[in-house]
Amino acid sequence: MTYKQDLINAFNQLELEIIQFSEQLLKHTRNHAFVAKVYTLPDVAKGDESNEVSSISVHKLASYEAIDETIKLINLLFIHNKSEDVSNKSAIRLPGAICIQTEFKKYQEFSQHISKINELKAQIKNIVTHVNEAQRFDFIRESLHGLLTLNTYRTLTALVDVDTINFGWANKKVINNVKKETMLDRLQASLDSGRCPLHIPREHWRLQLENEIRLVNSLPHDAILKTQRPVKVQPIARVWDKAQQKQVQYACATPLFVFALEKEIPEIKVGELPDYHADNISIRHRPKAKQVELLIPRLNLYIER
């Protein structure tokens, strides 16, 4: 069986599981106690993906409106199901929490759906990332045209009987170590593919890649290379579990699903997500990072000195 057929089969199963989970969520919340709060964020227009963000106004939805918006987002897997004016490169986020009163048997059914959804999402991501990076775009287009990979890969978070959920904002960098040989392979694959960014003449692009290959080739064999990619401000949830005396922070791109088994819904305190204002974010103490030098800006590639 080919990678393409593997991908299509896994995706068809994922769609079915998401539909079944959505139907179960709607049916259950019609007949059982629940609290739902989600926050819609402003759309990012095409071309505005790289703009600096200094403020974000959130709009709160509660109860059945929050359930409907959550179901709409987790079922949004293709570009053609969203507005053409909204960027395809920017993640659609819906922070919040849905707290559901349920007995153990029903919780098991919910948990099985969520586990299967997350398993299929991981399987799909694994299939796609095993395809050579230079060929990945064409592979997705030919297999599942218009697939929103950001939404498709994003897993769901399920929690049980927590005490408090508070929301906030986080700025961070994604830092990965990368081997010299890996970077050379990546650059060579881009050169061999013949594909070129629309805004750069083909000959200029080829020369740029050749220069980048020469630069990386000239580095010592034991050079410590890192990619440091800044991630735009994103909503987070801080969850406190009194029984375990433990606080865990979650990225909150989709609502957390919280199941009240031994607790009653009013015992789970769900906070509010404030608007984001860059001037109000305090940077906590961070360990001193090792000195790095920028090598290739477009790849956010650095060398440790």
Side-chain angles (χ1 to χ4, degrees):
M1 192 179 288
T2 64
Y3 271 180
K4 179 178 178 180
Q5 195 57 53
D6 287 345
L7 178 62
I8 292 168
N9 290 346
F11 183 81
N12 288 341
Q13 289 181 58
L14 174 64
E15 272 196 314
L16 182 61
E17 285 290 336
I18 289 175
I19 289 168
Q20 290 175 347
F21 174 71
S22 302
E23 290 172 348
Q24 185 185 20
L25 183 62
L26 273 175
K27 184 178 178 181
H28 192 86
T29 51
R30 287 195 192 105
N31 302 303
H32 297 80
F34 76 96
V35 167
K37 293 182 188 179
V38 303
Y39 299 86
T40 61
L41 311 183
D43 291 333
V44 177
K46 287 182 177 177
D48 291 348
E49 302 91 349
S50 301
N51 292 358
E52 195 67 33
V53 176
S54 58
S55 65
I56 300 172
S57 297
V58 304
H59 176 63
K60 178 180 169 182
L61 297 174
S63 192
Y64 290 107
E65 273 191 306
I67 297 288
D68 289 343
E69 198 67 20
T70 299
I71 288 172
K72 189 167 80 173
L73 179 62
I74 64 176
N75 282 272
L76 179 60
L77 302 174
F78 285 101
I79 289 168
H80 51 257
N81 290 331
K82 61 193 268 296
S83 168
E84 290 183 7
D85 299 325
V86 177
S87 169
N88 297 326
K89 298 177 183 177
S90 186
I92 300 171
R93 295 188 170 99
L94 185 72
I98 296 173
C99 305
I100 307 165
Q101 192 77 56
T102 182
E103 68 279 7
F104 186 69
K105 187 177 178 182
K106 280 292 178 188
Y107 161 69
Q108 281 185 308
E109 291 177 18
F110 274 115
S111 182
Q112 284 167 5
H113 276 306
I114 290 173
S115 295
K116 188 63 178 175
I117 286 168
N118 289 344
E119 180 187 316
L120 288 164
K121 283 172 172 282
Q123 188 179 330
I124 288 167
K125 185 175 182 179
N126 189 49
I127 292 168
V128 172
T129 52
H130 268 76
V131 174
N132 186 288
E133 191 172 5
Q135 299 169 335
R136 215 170 278 169
F137 177 83
D138 291 332
F139 170 70
I140 294 171
R141 185 178 58 186
E142 291 166 9
S143 306
L144 295 164
H145 185 65
L147 184 70
L148 280 168
T149 52
L150 287 171
N151 281 27
T152 303
Y153 297 163
R154 185 188 288 155
T155 56
L156 306 181
T157 301
L159 305 169
V160 177
D161 286 337
V162 299
D163 291 276
T164 61
I165 304 166
N166 289 307
F167 301 103
W169 298 92
N171 287 301
K172 65 175 186 177
K173 290 179 180 177
V174 174
I175 301 175
N176 291 305
N177 291 330
V178 58
K179 292 180 180 177
K180 175 181 172 180
E181 294 76 15
T182 304
M183 185 53 62
L184 284 171
D185 288 346
R186 191 180 302 175
L187 290 167
Q188 190 63 48
S190 294
L191 184 63
D192 293 343
S193 74
R195 287 179 55 201
C196 171
L198 294 175
H199 62 286
I200 301 178
R202 186 172 297 278
E203 184 61 21
H204 288 184
W205 178 244
R206 186 179 64 78
L207 288 171
Q208 180 178 328
L209 288 171
E210 288 174 349
N211 287 334
E212 290 171 352
I213 289 169
R214 274 194 292 273
L215 172 62
V216 176
N217 243 327
S218 70
L219 299 173
H221 74 278
D222 58 350
I224 299 174
L225 301 177
K226 298 174 183 288
T227 55
Q228 289 191 182
R229 185 169 54 85
V231 176
K232 288 196 172 180
V233 63
Q234 58 181 307
I236 56 166
R238 296 185 183 94
V239 178
W240 172 250
D241 188 318
K242 187 177 178 182
Q244 297 187 47
Q245 287 291 296
K246 185 179 180 182
Q247 177 175 280
V248 180
Q249 181 172 297
Y250 295 91
C252 201
T254 53
L256 307 178
F257 293 97
V258 183
F259 298 95
L261 273 69
E262 296 182 7
K263 288 184 180 293
E264 298 296 319
I265 287 292
E267 295 179 83
I268 301 174
K269 306 300 180 188
V270 182
E272 306 288 336
L273 177 68
D275 292 344
Y276 167 74
H277 297 286
D279 296 341
N280 296 342
I281 300 296
S282 58
I283 305 296
R284 296 181 179 183
H285 171 71
R286 291 175 182 163
K288 189 176 180 181
K290 292 185 178 178
Q291 195 69 31
V292 292
E293 178 186 325
L294 183 60
L295 285 180
I296 303 178
R298 73 175 186 88
L299 297 176
N300 297 297
L301 181 68
Y302 294 77
I303 184 170
E304 200 172 281
R305 295 297 192 189

